[in-house]
Amino acid sequence: MQNLKDNKKFSVVSSSDFDAIKIVSRTNWGRLPRLIPILLIGLMVCSCGGNTFDSEEELMTFLLEETNGYKHSKTVNGVDFSLMYRPTDLLVKQELGDKEVTKEEVRKLRDKYKNNIYFNLSMSKNNQELLSTAPRDRNEFGAMVNQLAFGMGEKVHLFTQSKDTLELADFVYPRLYGMGRATTIMFVYPRTKEQLNSKDILNFTIEDLGLYTGEVRFKVGVDRLIDEPKLKF
């Protein structure tokens, strides 16, 4: 797994947005209320076409903005939790790197990753990895290493509103040996059409890892996973 790259600003204002602004500027304030529904519809149409990005940096900026519904975070008892969905094309880009690729190569890798859904769970305390701050002695350190490396499948759960559980396919925990600012683990689940209804909400829960946080829960809209953002290759 690669570290997330720094955010870069990008434009989300289309030419139709500017046309709407011009209309308002030529209109007196008395007519503005009648224009508001038109402006809102125009902005909704523009946003629907903005789901494909030119670069990995632009896609990451979009994903990290919590109002877009792909990243969720909360702090419990001094522990910072963050959950981010990783769309298929982010995995494809990670494997391709910066080399020139053909449409066929992109198609094959999309087929390779599209049957699963991927979440990055990050946990930190005082902007450090859990192993750097939570264990109080060698025994606790060893127990937490074992838990993070081998036992997270028993601590993390993903289920629908109707309590149908998505079985964990795999998880990846890269040891950073104190060099990172958070403990980040990627969880992989099968993309099951029968369980992923566009109107449903997925519950992602983390049992207490000995940090006195109790169960931590995130709610993820399935519609965001179905209509996931893409990259232009």
Side-chain angles (χ1 to χ4, degrees):
M1 292 174 56
Q2 297 176 341
N3 291 329
L4 302 180
K5 296 186 177 181
D6 294 334
N7 298 347
K8 292 185 179 179
K9 295 182 179 179
F10 65 100
S11 175
V12 292
V13 181
S14 67
S15 58
S16 56
D17 292 329
F18 286 115
D19 291 338
I21 294 170
K22 290 177 183 178
I23 292 174
V24 175
S25 67
R26 293 197 300 265
T27 306
N28 60 49
W29 290 104
R31 295 175 58 192
L32 184 58
R34 286 181 291 173
L35 288 173
I36 289 177
I38 299 174
L39 297 177
L40 290 176
I41 292 173
L43 289 172
M44 288 173 64
V45 171
C46 293
S47 64
C48 290
N51 209 31
T52 301
F53 298 89
D54 291 325
S55 68
E56 182 182 6
E57 289 79 9
E58 290 183 0
L59 174 56
M60 282 304 307
T61 300
F62 177 79
L63 294 172
L64 290 171
E65 175 51 61
E66 294 196 25
T67 57
N68 291 324
Y70 293 95
K71 180 176 181 289
H72 311 270
S73 60
K74 60 178 62 178
T75 300
V76 182
N77 195 28
V79 181
D80 298 318
F81 293 85
S82 175
L83 181 72
M84 189 187 81
Y85 175 69
R86 291 172 61 87
T88 299
D89 278 5
L90 206 56
L91 279 294
V92 173
K93 177 62 177 176
Q94 177 179 312
E95 183 159 335
L96 289 174
D98 296 325
K99 68 178 183 179
E100 294 291 329
V101 295
T102 64
K103 290 183 179 180
E104 181 62 16
E105 288 178 299
V106 173
R107 184 194 64 78
K108 287 182 178 179
L109 285 177
R110 280 175 169 166
D111 287 344
K112 173 182 176 180
Y113 290 111
K114 70 179 182 181
N115 293 322
N116 292 310
I117 55 178
Y118 309 85
F119 292 98
N120 266 12
L121 173 66
S122 295
M123 301 170 288
S124 66
K125 190 170 185 178
N126 300 324
N127 288 320
Q128 298 181 68
E129 294 178 62
L130 294 184
L131 287 173
S132 299
T133 57
R136 291 170 295 185
D137 54 44
R138 287 187 176 183
N139 289 335
E140 287 191 3
F141 182 88
M144 180 164 281
V145 168
N146 188 66
Q147 179 72 76
L148 294 171
F150 306 107
M152 293 303 290
E154 300 173 358
K155 292 291 187 178
V156 170
H157 310 281
L158 185 67
F159 55 91
T160 66
Q161 286 180 302
S162 57
K163 305 300 182 181
D164 290 331
T165 299
L166 278 73
E167 296 296 332
L168 180 67
D170 197 6
F171 72 91
V172 181
Y173 165 57
R175 284 287 304 275
L176 299 179
Y177 300 95
M179 300 299 292
R181 298 182 63 181
T183 297
T184 299
I185 306 171
M186 184 173 74
F187 293 88
V188 184
Y189 295 90
R191 187 185 291 271
T192 308
K193 290 183 179 180
E194 293 77 13
Q195 294 178 308
L196 297 181
N197 186 303
S198 62
K199 296 181 181 179
D200 204 352
I201 297 292
L202 291 179
N203 293 276
F204 189 103
T205 63
I206 308 105
E207 294 182 20
D208 197 328
L209 302 178
L211 305 173
Y212 304 99
T213 60
E215 181 186 83
V216 177
R217 178 176 302 200
F218 292 102
K219 294 182 179 294
V220 181
V222 174
D223 60 331
R224 299 291 82 196
L225 279 58
I226 295 175
D227 185 30
E228 65 176 16
K230 295 178 174 58
L231 278 172
K232 291 181 182 178
F233 288 99

